[in-house]
Amino acid sequence: MARPSTIASLINFFNRQFQKYRLETEIIFWTGCALGYLCLLGHRLSLFASVALSDPAGYPGLARASHFFFDSASREPFQIFLVKIALKLVSNDETAVRLISLFFTEAAFVTAVMGARFLWGFWAGAGAALALASNRVAGFYSTTGYNMVTYSFFIVLLAVFFLQERRGRWAAPLMGLVSALASLTRLEGLATTTLGQVLYFWKPRPRPWRAACLALCLSWGLTAPYLIVQKIRTGQFLGSHKPHAAFWAVREKSGQDHGADPPSSQANAWKNLFLRRGPADAFLQAAQGMALGFAWYLPRLWQGAEWALALALLGLVVLWRRGHKSFALLLAAIIAPVAFILPLDQVTPGSGAELRFTLPLIWPTAMLTGLGFSWTIRTLAERFNMIR
């Protein structure tokens, strides 16, 4: 058995070589991580290609019927715009839809891993990459074509912006643009991005209001045309989401799927969903959904990779001690728009809502896993004096 001094000598030798050829080594390593994850996604596609598309099966039809960007009917315009582009590249509808979710899952992986790398160092990026490679939920949804996958990419991009200490003159417009694209992919993201921008320019001390107003005006200004189109065509700014509200209102009342929603149920869908039993009960339901989001849904997102979730909790503590206390609020803001539906049963009693509604939590959590992993490696190295 090797002596501890011999192990320490080997570690020091490899560390010196790494520092000597750091740039070349890192380029090879991170390129390999990206290509390896892409191969993993390809394997997931081969496993789940036979699973029929659900709601995204209708995206190509909406794309063909669309005459301009904001003309996307019952779905947000950016996802339909992406499908329109994909249909120019491939002839098969299902392939076009699946390729988009594969692309943005890979993009979210690269963003989370490289974000952790540049924020907290090599080991943080490596830990985030290992965590995401172990996550089976992200791999499954990469093949489903849901717009929530695209939305998740913008959320992790916002998380990287949020944690970045140095902010130049382009920080505000970039934050506003990314927030707008997130909202135009999932409209409920408008609440998340607005809260995120307020926290971004507020923490850890008050930020210039000019930059905050610029970001907010840009994100809301780019999203507003879609709301106006919906108002003109349906009579409500959120008219495209009225069928979805009716769907969840029926589930809230009955607790299970009874088939298609009756047209009459859509008339007061928002009231039936949020205020059927009064504002106080609506608040309690939202609070219950927030609690379930972290206590029940988040562990399910990392089922089979619980070690990553444990390190993420450690990373959150480390981040808190470094002064980034508002990052926990950003995670809560990701859950907030869907908090009302999380206590409901989408299909059968006890099933809860589908995991895709909390999917955007995966990538920021993986970044926290990387931070926890990095802190553990450095603490052990210092404790045993392995690296000089």
Side-chain angles (χ1 to χ4, degrees):
M1 182 176 180
R3 296 166 55 187
S5 59
T6 304
I7 297 175
S9 298
L10 288 172
I11 292 175
N12 284 321
F13 172 77
F14 285 114
N15 183 59
R16 288 194 299 270
Q17 295 302 310
F18 174 74
Q19 295 297 333
K20 184 176 180 180
Y21 302 102
R22 186 181 188 93
L23 179 61
E24 296 85 349
T25 303
E26 288 214 33
I27 290 175
I28 295 172
F29 179 81
W30 299 122
T31 302
C33 285
L35 292 176
Y37 192 71
L38 187 61
C39 292
L40 180 61
L41 293 182
H43 175 64
R44 299 293 187 191
L45 180 61
S46 67
L47 291 177
F48 301 116
S50 59
V51 178
L53 294 176
S54 180
D55 180 67
Y59 291 175
L62 295 176
R64 292 188 178 95
S66 175
H67 297 93
F68 57 94
F69 181 78
F70 295 104
D71 178 27
S72 56
S74 61
R75 281 300 170 192
E76 291 82 349
F78 187 68
Q79 187 73 21
I80 301 305
F81 174 72
L82 292 174
V83 174
K84 187 181 283 288
I85 294 176
L87 289 173
K88 300 288 185 181
L89 302 176
V90 295
S91 57
N92 184 272
D93 288 4
E94 183 175 318
T95 302
V97 171
R98 292 187 192 273
L99 282 179
I100 293 172
S101 58
L102 281 170
F103 174 83
F104 279 97
T105 302
E106 176 72 14
F109 171 85
V110 173
T111 303
V113 170
M114 298 312 297
R117 161 63 186 90
F118 286 110
L119 286 169
W120 304 309
F122 174 84
W123 289 112
L130 186 60
L132 288 172
S134 305
N135 189 285
R136 294 177 292 184
V137 175
F140 169 74
Y141 278 105
S142 69
T143 68
T144 59
Y146 281 114
N147 57 358
M148 190 62 83
V149 178
T150 309
Y151 173 69
S152 297
F153 164 71
F154 293 118
I155 290 299
V156 71
L157 198 56
L158 285 173
V160 173
F161 280 146
F162 191 85
L163 292 166
Q164 180 64 40
E165 291 289 346
R166 297 179 181 178
R167 297 164 186 177
R169 65 176 63 181
W170 293 103
L174 282 176
M175 174 67 90
L177 178 61
V178 172
S179 298
L181 291 175
S183 302
L184 291 171
T185 304
R186 292 286 300 189
L187 191 56
E188 59 266 30
L190 193 59
T192 296
T193 55
T194 299
L195 291 171
Q197 288 175 83
V198 171
L199 292 171
Y200 175 77
F201 289 103
W202 184 263
K203 73 171 193 66
R205 58 186 182 276
R207 301 291 181 185
W209 284 106
R210 182 183 301 177
C213 290
L214 174 61
L216 287 169
C217 289
L218 188 59
S219 63
W220 277 83
L222 291 176
T223 308
Y226 175 63
L227 301 178
I228 294 173
V229 170
Q230 291 300 313
K231 175 66 174 178
I232 293 173
R233 294 190 171 180
T234 68
Q236 294 184 5
F237 289 111
L238 301 178
S240 62
H241 280 50
K242 188 160 51 175
H244 310 305
F247 173 91
W248 287 107
V250 171
R251 302 309 174 275
E252 197 273 343
K253 184 177 180 180
S254 65
Q256 55 185 315
D257 191 350
H258 287 295
D261 303 319
S264 59
S265 69
Q266 297 185 19
N268 297 307
W270 298 105
K271 181 179 179 180
N272 289 337
L273 178 59
F274 299 122
L275 300 174
R276 192 168 67 89
R277 291 195 295 263
D281 186 78
F283 175 79
L284 291 176
Q285 183 173 336
Q288 181 186 2
M290 293 288 291
L292 285 173
F294 292 104
W296 194 63
Y297 285 91
L298 186 58
R300 290 177 67 199
L301 289 172
W302 289 96
Q303 190 172 4
E306 287 78 7
W307 64 269
L309 189 56
L311 285 177
L313 292 175
L314 175 60
L316 187 61
V317 172
V318 173
L319 200 61
W320 183 281
R321 295 183 63 183
R322 291 183 181 180
H324 292 278
K325 299 179 180 180
S326 55
F327 191 74
L329 296 177
L330 179 65
L331 296 178
I334 296 174
I335 290 291
V338 295
F340 277 96
I341 67 173
L342 295 185
L344 308 181
D345 295 322
Q346 186 171 353
V347 181
T348 58
S351 66
E354 193 177 345
L355 282 179
R356 64 184 170 97
F357 294 107
T358 54
L359 190 68
L361 279 177
I362 289 179
W363 286 270
T365 306
M367 293 179 64
L368 291 175
T369 299
L371 178 58
F373 183 74
S374 175
W375 183 88
T376 302
I377 292 292
R378 293 181 182 278
T379 301
L380 290 175
E382 293 172 3
R383 172 66 177 82
F384 295 103
N385 196 28
M386 289 184 175
I387 299 179
R388 297 184 179 90

